[in-house]
């Protein structure tokens, strides 16, 4: 549990909470994808492109990268440093001779052809006992991790960038089909409210929950009653009113755009930004 639980929320604590919430969101998204794949395999409804995708690590990569970046899994690059390290141990390799390195030491990448990937991977495995890349800084190493991803894709029949993108798209659709709309709205509201911490809005003073509840108790609430919150802020008072009487017909006004975004995320009916311009019809003039 975070050490700040029970303390006043600051901008720094809000950012930390947001980071934890984002991690939780990614884990829930991945969990939905795993369950969708398992259920699809069991009932025979899994899309053909995912039929052989059973490696949890590959599923995680496809889910987190998404269709926008899944194509990167189907490419393998060799840095100049890696190229030189391999050539040191196999100076007369015909295979390495087909991979031309530019005359610069850092920052050069060469995307390998499929047949080159297989050859370099075989060579890399032969040289593994010699630890050929140990002297290379981590930021100059790419081949080993990219080759593992490429190998996993090929083992699942995803042999082209188009198939990798198709698989990631199918996984996203399966995960999205299991999203709970109420939970999604709750997460969005929480994120927007966290983003308000430390952000100064002239005239905005959030109503503490205990005070909002006390005010709501004093109101003569009845089902179907029409209620106007003329300066709704982020909806603290409306939250308390609806908690006591869910059958209210609530309408709200708010000038600030960021606060209006929170109110809209909560599903409250915004009828204007200035309550003084409203008329009896309930619409802003």
């Amino acid at each position: 549990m975070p050490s700040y639980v029970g303390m006043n929320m600051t901008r720094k604590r809000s950012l930390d909470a947001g980071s934890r919430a984002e991690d939780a969101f990614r884990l829930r998204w991945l969990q939905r994808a795993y369950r969708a794949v398992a259920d699809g395999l069991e009932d025979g409804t899994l899309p053909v492109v995912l039929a052989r995708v059973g490696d949890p690590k590959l599923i995680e990569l496809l889910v987190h990268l998404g269709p926008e970046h899944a194509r990167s899994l189907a490419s393998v690059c060799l840095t100049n440093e890696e190229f030189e390290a391999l050539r040191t141990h196999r100076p007369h390799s015909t295979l390495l001779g087909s991979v031309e390195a530019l005359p610069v030491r850092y920052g050069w990448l060469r995307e390998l052809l499929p047949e080159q990937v297989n050859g370099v991977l075989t060579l890399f495995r032969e040289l593994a006992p010699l630890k050929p890349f140990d002297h290379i800084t981590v930021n100059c190493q790419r081949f080993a991790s990219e080759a593992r991803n490429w190998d996993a894709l090929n083992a699942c029949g995803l042999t082209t960038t188009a198939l990798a993108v198709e698989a990631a798209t199918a996984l996203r659709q399966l995960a999205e089909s299991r999203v709970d709309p109420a939970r999604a709205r709750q997460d969005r509201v929480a994120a927007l409210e966290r983003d308000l911490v430390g952000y100064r809005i002239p005239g905005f003073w959030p109503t503490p929950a205990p005070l909002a509840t006390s005010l709501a108790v004093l109101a003569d609430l009845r089902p179907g009653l029409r209620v106007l919150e003329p300066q709704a802020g982020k909806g603290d008072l409306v939250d308390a009113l609806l908690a006591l009487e869910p059958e209210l017909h609530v309408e709200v006004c708010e000038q600030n755009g960021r606060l209006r975004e929170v109110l809209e995320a909560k599903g409250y009916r915004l009828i204007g930004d200035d309550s003084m311009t409203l008329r009896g019809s309930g619409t802003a003039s």
Side-chain angles (χ1 to χ4, degrees):
M1 180 177 292
S3 59
Y4 53 75
V5 170
M7 303 171 64
N8 289 333
M9 186 61 74
T10 63
R11 184 63 181 169
K12 183 176 183 300
R13 292 168 185 159
S14 174
L15 292 172
D16 181 60
S19 176
R20 292 170 185 267
E22 183 63 27
D23 289 342
F25 173 82
R26 285 196 294 268
L27 287 174
R28 287 198 301 272
W29 192 265
L30 183 59
Q31 182 186 52
R32 286 194 290 267
Y34 281 146
R35 286 181 173 175
V37 169
D39 291 346
L41 284 170
E42 185 174 344
D43 57 28
T45 61
L46 196 66
V48 175
V49 73
L50 297 176
R52 294 168 57 191
V53 181
D55 183 348
K57 287 292 185 184
L58 181 56
I59 292 175
E60 183 175 353
L61 281 170
L62 288 169
V63 168
H64 287 167
L65 287 174
E68 300 83 1
H69 304 291
R71 65 183 69 253
S72 65
L73 295 174
S75 64
V76 181
C77 290
L78 190 70
T79 66
N80 216 32
E81 292 76 13
E82 292 170 322
F83 174 84
E84 292 296 342
L86 293 175
R87 195 166 63 174
T88 296
H89 296 284
R90 290 289 189 276
H92 304 299
S93 168
T94 303
L95 169 67
L96 292 178
S98 70
V99 182
E100 296 181 3
L102 296 181
V104 292
R105 182 166 178 76
Y106 298 107
W108 177 78
L109 299 173
R110 166 67 180 268
E111 185 172 339
L112 301 177
L113 299 173
E115 57 271 20
Q116 291 176 319
V117 177
N118 273 322
V120 175
L121 188 56
T122 298
L123 180 59
F124 176 71
R125 286 168 177 163
E126 290 174 357
L127 297 174
L130 302 177
K131 300 181 179 180
F133 294 166
D134 272 17
H135 66 288
I136 302 175
T137 57
V138 174
N139 65 324
C140 291
Q141 295 187 44
R142 291 178 60 131
F143 176 76
S145 62
E146 291 183 353
R148 279 195 299 270
N149 294 338
W150 181 87
D151 213 17
L153 279 179
N154 279 263
C156 296
L158 307 180
T159 54
T160 66
T161 56
L163 286 172
V165 172
E166 184 182 348
T169 302
L171 276 172
R172 171 168 291 182
Q173 291 171 347
L174 288 174
E176 285 177 345
S177 70
R178 292 171 173 254
V179 172
D180 177 8
R183 180 58 184 267
R185 185 171 74 176
Q186 180 184 352
D187 288 345
R188 174 161 171 74
V189 169
L192 290 171
E193 289 190 329
R194 280 194 304 269
D195 198 43
L196 291 173
V197 176
Y199 180 75
R200 296 185 180 277
I201 301 174
F204 170 56
W205 303 97
T207 305
L211 176 57
T213 299
S214 297
L215 293 173
V217 170
L218 294 175
D220 183 18
L221 300 178
R222 301 183 303 277
L225 189 67
R226 187 180 182 196
V227 177
L228 171 66
E229 225 292 32
Q231 294 178 316
K234 63 183 180 70
D236 296 309
L237 186 53
V238 178
D239 295 343
L241 291 171
L242 290 173
L244 288 178
E245 180 48 73
E247 299 301 320
L248 297 175
H249 295 296
V250 180
E251 296 167 332
V252 299
C253 285
E254 176 54 50
Q255 290 184 330
N256 184 270
R258 296 184 72 161
L259 297 177
R260 288 170 66 90
E261 191 175 6
V262 177
L263 295 170
E264 289 172 345
K266 289 182 175 181
Y268 296 154
R269 185 179 177 224
L270 276 157
I271 60 172
D273 56 12
D274 184 358
S275 60
M276 300 303 292
T277 65
L278 297 181
R279 299 295 181 264
S281 63
T283 58
S285 62

